[in-house]
Amino acid sequence: MNQYYLAIDIGASSGRHILAHMEDGKMILEEVHRFPNGMVEVNGEFVWDTEALFAEIKAGLKKCKELGKVPVSVGVDTWGVDFALLDKEGKLIGNVVAYRDSRTKGMDDEVYKIISEEDLYARTGIQKQMYNTIYQLMAVKVKKPEELAQAQTMLMTPDYFHYLLSGKAAEEYTIATTGQLVSPVTKDWDMELIEKLGYPKHIFQKLMTPGTVLGYLTPQVQEEVGFNCKVVLPAAHDTASAVLAVPTSSEDTLYISSGTWSLLGIELKEANCSQRSKECNLTNEGGYDYRFRYLKNIMGLWMIQSVKKEIGGSLGYGEICDMASRSTITSIVDCNDDRFMAPKNMTEEIQAACRESGQQVPETLADVAAVVYNSLAKCYAATTKEIEEIIGKKFDRIHIVGGGSNADYLNRLTARETGLTVYAGPGEGTAIGNVAAQMIADGVLKDIWDARACVFRSFGVVEYPA
């Protein structure tokens, strides 16, 4: 009889429940539930509808029961930096505000009154992004101090869902590191920094590593879904799970976790908090087995997702990618420009950027998509050179995992621009990494290398020569 493990992988635009089991030494995946996600505006803030998301989480659990495939354990992963504040009764305070909300505008200046930008990077190793938890908490402190005063507990988004499932409030290490409040030396909350910033220390929960068994489903959830199972922490940051699933046998592997964001980097045993690293805006996020994800956040397929909604009609991403491959436009934009973070209209913003820089303005869907794909590939190449220069190593290959690994044209452009052989796949990298952590915890897989060998065996890769 098969043993099933359930990954609940929630991204910024959709979520999915993926069941996994082992068969003849290979990991077999089955999607049992998929649901939409997105920011909603409530009282002038862009927020996540966590109540609706938790209803979808339970709906997917019910489907497992209906299929007769009750999982041994379940774990949730999401994007980073966002959090929930809970009161002394464990109830949600206010909204779970989304990272694209503008409340953090000017909050970097408030933080730098207390600690300089240079010292903050040297202390945390985390790149400056205006949506980091450190700035979000400052926004709460400045604009809604009553919420911070009332708070008893802070939980990052996936940990809030783990809390709703299990009743246990705990923070998972990899997701916590995204907020710029964890020390890369102690691998724990930097309480001295937190105290300096005036954030209440008691709201920060003990950090737990991937594979920690939190407990079991609460009686209420058991009654709703019809079964009980363990709640196990995966690498709860989606990129940390995706990196766990990179099918490599080498310590020195460049990777891109390609989805709404493109995260390009390598794994390091020790964080690089140098000034040069800061200048290149590279980050040292926590990974599985305390392996640092030394990477850069690149805007990624968010731009294509937005363009598709605006002018893509019913076309699929594969069709749009194929159309872009036949475009001859050569215009390029800076994917990491803040103007593309949350524009009112992405298509018009791309057109405006090309117009302002004196380049050909894309008018058709194919041309707009081609500008995005070509710009991403150029950005990948530039980031690869930065990493090679900083760590003093040359690479000959790059692994792409996640949904973007299915973008054939982008993969070919990446190989061309970087001069590296591209290995693309698996597409469900995040969900695979999520269940891999659960399987390691349960003894089905031995360690990270056994998991990666299993991923390669199970899903393989598509090779794009340089």
Side-chain angles (χ1 to χ4, degrees), residues 256-259 262 301 321 325 373-374 376-377 380 398-427 461-466:
I256 302 175
S257 174
S258 181
S262 290
L301 298 179
C321 195
S325 71
Y373 287 128
N374 277 279
L376 281 173
Y380 295 164
I398 188 164
H399 281 266
I400 302 179
V401 296
S405 67
N406 298 316
D408 175 75
Y409 180 50
L410 180 56
N411 294 338
R412 285 188 277 124
L413 288 173
T414 301
R416 185 188 77 192
E417 294 296 335
T418 62
L420 305 178
T421 300
V422 168
Y423 294 92
V461 296
V462 179
E463 182 178 339
Y464 294 84

Side-chain angles (χ1 to χ4, degrees), residues 313-374:
S314 61
L315 291 174
Y317 290 112
E319 293 172 288
I320 294 172
C321 195
D322 185 56
M323 290 168 61
S325 71
R326 295 193 294 273
S327 169
T328 58
I329 194 169
T330 59
S331 302
I332 299 295
V333 297
D334 177 4
C335 297
N336 285 335
D337 193 315
D338 286 345
R339 68 191 298 168
F340 301 120
M341 175 66 72
K344 289 183 179 178
N345 186 290
M346 182 68 75
T347 304
E348 292 175 2
E349 200 67 40
I350 292 167
Q351 291 170 331
C354 291
R355 188 177 299 112
E356 290 162 18
S357 59
Q359 301 180 90
Q360 180 183 345
V361 176
E363 300 294 348
T364 66
L365 172 61
D367 283 354
V368 173
V371 169
V372 173
Y373 287 128
N374 277 279

Side-chain angles (χ1 to χ4, degrees), residues 111-129:
V111 168
Y112 301 151
K113 289 175 184 175
I114 298 162
I115 181 171
S116 71
E117 185 176 352
E118 290 72 22
D119 288 347
L120 182 60
Y121 186 87
R123 189 164 185 144
T124 66
I126 299 298
Q127 70 183 148
K128 178 181 179 179
Q129 299 280 13

Side-chain angles (χ1 to χ4, degrees), residues 27-237:
M27 189 185 293
I28 308 297
L29 301 183
E30 178 184 0
E31 183 180 299
V32 296
H33 186 53
R34 182 175 284 263
F35 53 93
N37 187 27
M39 300 177 295
V40 293
E41 192 169 352
V42 177
N43 298 326
E45 290 182 323
F46 284 113
V47 308
W48 303 109
D49 189 344
T50 51
E51 189 174 334
L53 288 173
F54 190 56
E56 293 288 2
I57 286 173
K58 291 183 288 186
L61 289 170
K62 289 177 189 175
K63 286 188 180 178
C64 294
K65 173 70 172 177
E66 292 165 5
L67 291 168
K69 297 176 179 179
V70 172
V72 172
S73 62
V74 58
V76 182
D77 66 77
T78 76
W79 61 93
V81 306
D82 292 343
F83 57 87
L85 292 176
L86 310 181
D87 63 18
K88 62 183 179 181
E89 269 104 42
K91 302 297 184 186
L92 185 63
I93 300 169
N95 298 314
V96 178
V97 180
Y99 60 88
R100 292 186 193 276
D101 186 76
S102 62
R103 69 174 175 168
T104 56
K105 186 176 182 181
M107 292 302 112
D108 51 345
D109 293 333
E110 294 299 316
V111 168
Y112 301 151
K113 289 175 184 175
I114 298 162
I115 181 171
S116 71
E117 185 176 352
E118 290 72 22
D119 288 347
L120 182 60
Y121 186 87
R123 189 164 185 144
T124 66
I126 299 298
Q127 70 183 148
K128 178 181 179 179
Q129 299 280 13
M130 277 306 300
Y131 45 69
N132 285 351
T133 312
I134 189 172
Y135 304 118
Q136 292 202 46
L137 279 170
M138 185 58 73
V140 179
K141 179 186 168 186
V142 170
K143 299 176 180 179
K144 296 186 177 180
E146 70 284 357
E147 291 190 359
L148 209 54
Q150 188 185 353
Q152 192 66 33
T153 305
M154 184 191 82
L155 294 175
M156 305 298 277
T157 311
D159 295 315
Y160 177 54
F161 292 128
H162 289 136
Y163 166 72
L164 294 177
L165 286 169
S166 70
K168 302 287 176 61
E171 282 279 22
E172 190 276 323
Y173 165 70
T174 69
I175 195 80
T177 65
T178 66
Q180 211 170 4
L181 290 165
V182 173
S183 165
V185 178
T186 66
K187 300 174 179 66
D188 202 352
W189 295 113
D190 187 334
M191 285 301 182
E192 184 182 0
L193 172 62
I194 286 165
E195 189 171 26
K196 279 184 178 180
L197 292 165
Y199 306 155
K201 293 192 292 184
H202 67 268
I203 70 174
F204 296 88
Q205 307 305 297
K206 182 179 178 182
L207 294 187
M208 307 285 192
T209 54
T212 298
V213 180
L214 275 189
Y216 289 83
L217 299 177
T218 66
Q220 182 180 353
V221 173
Q222 289 179 46
E223 187 177 344
E224 284 192 62
V225 304
F227 65 89
N228 193 14
C229 71
K230 288 185 285 189
V231 178
V232 175
L233 297 182
H237 186 217

